[in-house]
Amino acid sequence: MDKYEVLHKQFGYTSFRPGQEEAIDAILTGQDVIAIMPTGAGKSLCYQIPALLLPGITLVISPLISLMKDQVKALNESGCPAVFLNSSLSSEEYQWAMDEILCERAKLIYVAPERLFKHDISLLASSGHISLVVVDEAHCVSQWGHDFRTSYLDISRFVRSMKKRPILAAFTATATMQVRRDIEELLSLKKALRVHTGFDRPNLRFEVLKTGKAYGVDKKKALLHYLSSREDESGIIYCATRKAVEETYALLQNRGYKATRYHAGLDDAERRSNQDDFLYDRSLIMVATNAFGMGIDKSNVSYVIHFNMPKNIESYYQEAGRAGRDGSPADCILLYSGQDVQINKFLITRSNDDAFNPERESHNLELLKEMTFYATSSRCLRHRLLAYFGEESPASCNNCSNCLGHRTITQGPVPSPISVPSQPRPREQEPAAPVDEALFVKLKGLRKEIAQNERMPAYIIFSDASLKDMCRKKPLSPAQFSMVSGVGQVKREKYGQTFTALIKEHLAQTRALL
Ligand code: ADP
Ligand code: MG
């Protein structure tokens, strides 16, 4: 097999996305890689494909134990032999996973960095069977990153302790130079290929709504108005504080929305079960502080609303980027108020109490200023975001509230900005055929049923993007079914029959109506 065959047969995709092929080729020829690609760009395939092609085992170091199960399930669904080792496994499950490893069936092993020096992994490290070590969310190694984890600093020592130095590949969506340098240094990457795709996510539509008395707009009303048009869709609402999470959560509960919540004030068990409710679509809306979201690869999140402005663009882009991972159109909406600026200022200056660091404080205030500029700008929002990351882009994207001249959250026209020279026309319709909505709803229903039976998150069975592609292609045979994006051999065999039967039935019904 070569990388294209794996891409088609295993994962059901027709072509690579930007950056994927470079990263894969480098790893396959034994070169270290550091890949900086935005959320949803498809970093996982960059190491999963080499893992299947290289001899021996790939060790994936991933920060979040609570997500490993789903990551591994998703791989297993595509027919990839992967296991994970962590403290959540029962002794039978652990034994089974170890058997898979010892019999050399498993090609990928997911572990948290804290586990590297445990007996089982040490044994593996000294066996010389590990060809590739992947560091996912590699920014966790840097104190400049937003999710520093001390145990990430052990990775380099672990790699040195191995019998044979493996290929090292590090992945992150964090863009700053400091973090990049830290990753290369602290993980001791050797002559690593730097893969850096653009940061643009064309399917995301950016929107800012200025709220507060001065603008005559109430955040809660705007939020409820927006949600009323998004009833069957899944989304995340980020709030700045636990208190704001609780309030917003209560508001939505009272209105009968299937919402859940996540913040550091809840105990572990509740956090985990709320997270699962969201991932398994039992709750469609997640109201959370920024404690929620790293590593979440739920692909059908169709909006991310910031109820409060975050303290810098880096965090904003990372959080907003959790929408539309499968490439479907999605909304990223920021509800701005002057008060948010004050709260952030307070948090930045207060966080210096124990170890006052004037340099860091002024740095953070500078970042807050940039964020505020974004929120109050009348220019293209995408352009501003990309410029912040040092990337050139057209002056207008035709897919943000400033370029389009209207917002979905209030449905109303935007007061005409003063500084935009000419109002660009809305973006042309995508060339792809429009989706048959009725069929889409039916396919979603079928997916949900299967997900419940198999106790799996629905997005792992098929992403929304795959269901939409089914609506366009309307496959009636297994051969046609395998042409759908995201349908590999295993999924074709497992689901082809049921899905094509439903499509046939739908076509018969709609024809009968004509
Ligand atoms: P990241 O880790 O970079 O945030 P993921 O690896 O989770 O992103 O991938 C995001 C989504 O994109 C997943 O649903 C994945 O299946 C899909 N994807 C990845 N590569 C491709 C590709 N070449 N073609 C189509 N879809 C892809
Ligand atoms: Mg990822």
Side-chain angles (χ1 to χ4, degrees):
M1 286 240 270
D2 66 13
K3 61 183 178 194
Y4 297 107
E5 277 177 273
V6 178
L7 180 74
H8 303 312
K9 291 201 177 135
Q10 211 93 24
F11 295 100
Y13 297 130
T14 45
S15 55
F16 285 109
R17 288 191 181 158
Q20 287 182 328
E21 225 174 335
E22 288 130 272
I24 291 170
D25 288 344
I27 295 173
L28 288 177
T29 55
Q31 193 181 2
D32 284 0
V33 165
I34 171 171
I36 299 155
M37 294 157 75
T39 319
K43 291 186 281 294
S44 323
L45 277 197
C46 297
Y47 60 81
Q48 288 164 350
I49 290 182
L52 295 172
L53 292 170
L54 287 169
I57 283 173
T58 291
L59 192 69
V60 182
I61 301 171
S62 161
L64 291 149
I65 288 180
S66 64
L67 296 168
M68 275 176 199
K69 192 176 77 200
D70 289 344
Q71 285 171 337
V72 166
K73 260 190 201 164
L75 277 170
N76 295 158
E77 266 292 287
S78 301
C80 303
V83 298
F84 64 98
L85 294 177
N86 69 32
S87 51
S88 79
L89 293 176
S90 68
S91 64
E92 289 86 47
E93 288 168 331
Y94 179 82
Q95 208 44 61
W96 181 84
M98 283 311 285
D99 282 352
E100 290 296 292
I101 296 168
L102 296 174
C103 301
E104 296 179 22
R105 275 191 298 268
K107 292 297 286 177
L108 293 108
I109 305 175
Y110 282 68
V111 291
E114 288 77 14
R115 202 178 178 95
L116 293 177
F117 291 101
K118 286 248 162 72
H119 177 68
D120 43 13
I121 303 291
S122 301
L123 210 65
L124 211 62
S126 55
S127 74
H129 282 318
I130 299 177
S131 316
L132 168 64
V133 169
V134 172
V135 185
D136 204 7
E137 314 286 355
H139 60 276
C140 292
V141 80
S142 170
Q143 310 218 28
W144 291 99
H146 29 81
D147 301 297
F148 174 61
R149 278 269 282 260
T150 336
S151 52
Y152 264 64
L153 294 171
D154 295 336
I155 294 175
S156 162
R157 182 163 60 95
F158 170 75
V159 170
R160 268 182 279 126
S161 80
M162 292 172 72
K163 184 172 171 199
K164 189 183 85 203
R165 194 209 187 257
I167 309 160
L168 267 176
F171 296 87
T172 182
T174 305
T176 61
M177 269 316 284
Q178 278 158 328
V179 173
R180 234 178 284 175
R181 252 184 257 131
D182 273 1
I183 292 175
E184 292 193 22
E185 242 178 72
L186 299 171
L187 294 177
S188 320
L189 298 183
K190 271 204 306 223
K191 296 199 181 114
L193 176 76
R194 297 182 184 134
V195 179
H196 190 192
T197 62
F199 264 82
D200 190 21
R201 300 269 311 279
N203 62 314
L204 299 184
R205 208 182 50 77
F206 292 97
E207 180 165 335
V208 176
L209 180 68
K210 298 196 189 89
T211 66
K213 288 215 182 74
Y215 300 98
V217 183
D218 178 67
K219 279 189 183 185
K220 288 182 179 157
K221 277 192 193 141
L223 178 67
L224 290 173
H225 180 86
Y226 178 81
L227 294 181
S228 66
S229 65
R230 290 288 184 281
E231 298 228 314
D232 295 323
E233 290 170 36
S234 185
I236 305 174
I237 300 169
Y238 278 111
C239 301
T241 59
R242 296 176 196 183
K243 187 162 160 272
V245 168
E246 291 297 339
E247 281 173 16
T248 311
Y249 168 71
L251 174 77
L252 299 187
Q253 284 276 314
N254 285 336
R255 303 287 170 128
Y257 283 102
K258 281 196 223 157
T260 185
R261 65 195 159 149
Y262 193 105
H263 59 67
L266 304 172
D267 64 43
D268 276 1
E270 180 169 4
R271 276 211 306 266
R272 173 152 333 172
S273 101
N274 292 355
Q275 173 178 300
D276 277 354
D277 283 347
F278 180 65
L279 297 178
Y280 286 69
D281 294 322
R282 293 188 287 262
S283 298
L284 287 179
I285 304 175
M286 171 57 89
V287 187
T289 60
N290 61 6
F292 175 77
M294 186 178 45
I296 295 282
D297 43 21
K298 184 173 163 68
S299 65
N300 62 339
V301 175
S302 54
Y303 58 86
V304 170
I305 297 176
H306 279 78
F307 197 76
N308 303 105
M309 186 183 78
K311 60 181 191 297
N312 57 52
I313 290 186
E314 192 86 33
S315 319
Y316 178 66
Y317 203 60
Q318 187 105 5
E319 287 155 19
R322 294 183 182 132
R325 291 179 82 101
D326 67 355
S328 303
D331 289 340
C332 304
I333 301 174
L334 170 62
L335 302 181
Y336 167 83
S337 79
Q339 215 181 358
D340 294 336
V341 184
Q342 297 314 318
I343 292 174
N344 276 315
K345 259 190 196 151
F346 172 76
L347 291 174
I348 288 170
T349 45
R350 193 198 60 173
S351 69
N352 266 326
D353 275 0
D354 20 330
F356 182 62
N357 179 340
E359 211 181 326
R360 185 169 281 243
E361 179 175 307
S362 67
H363 176 74
N364 288 338
L365 288 173
E366 201 51 44
L367 298 182
L368 175 62
K369 213 189 257 172
E370 292 278 348
M371 183 74 235
T372 313
F373 283 153
Y374 170 81
T376 52
S377 171
S378 52
R379 299 282 187 83
C380 174
L381 296 174
R382 186 183 311 274
H383 182 78
R384 259 226 110 90
L385 290 169
L386 295 175
Y388 175 82
F389 293 115
E391 213 171 292
E392 288 188 24
S393 64
S396 58
C397 72
N398 292 346
N399 198 21
C400 72
S401 55
N402 285 345
C403 286
L404 292 170
H406 70 78
R407 305 196 167 92
T408 50
I409 194 152
T410 51
Q411 308 272 320
V414 179
S416 185
I418 309 150
S419 53
V420 174
S422 67
Q423 204 64 276
R425 271 184 301 122
R427 171 177 283 210
E428 302 284 331
Q429 266 291 312
E430 305 274 34
V435 164
D436 179 338
E437 269 300 324
L439 178 57
F440 186 53
V441 170
K442 288 183 192 172
L443 293 174
K444 266 176 122 165
L446 176 57
R447 178 180 67 178
K448 190 170 185 181
E449 204 177 297
I450 297 174
Q452 275 163 359
N453 286 340
E454 302 205 7
R455 288 162 209 248
M456 250 195 279
Y459 71 89
I460 285 184
I461 294 169
F462 285 119
S463 68
D464 281 5
S466 291
L467 295 190
K468 283 179 196 157
D469 204 33
M470 283 178 214
C471 291
R472 280 185 216 106
K473 294 186 175 138
K474 299 198 171 62
L476 298 172
S477 66
Q480 288 171 352
F481 194 66
S482 62
M483 307 301 280
V484 172
S485 172
V487 177
Q489 246 166 19
V490 173
K491 289 196 181 178
R492 187 192 71 192
E493 277 158 33
K494 206 163 162 194
Y495 302 119
Q497 189 62 40
T498 14
F499 278 83
T500 51
L502 180 67
I503 295 167
K504 254 183 229 161
E505 184 192 288
H506 172 78
L507 288 179
Q509 279 171 1
T510 43
R511 283 208 192 99
L513 286 175
L514 288 176

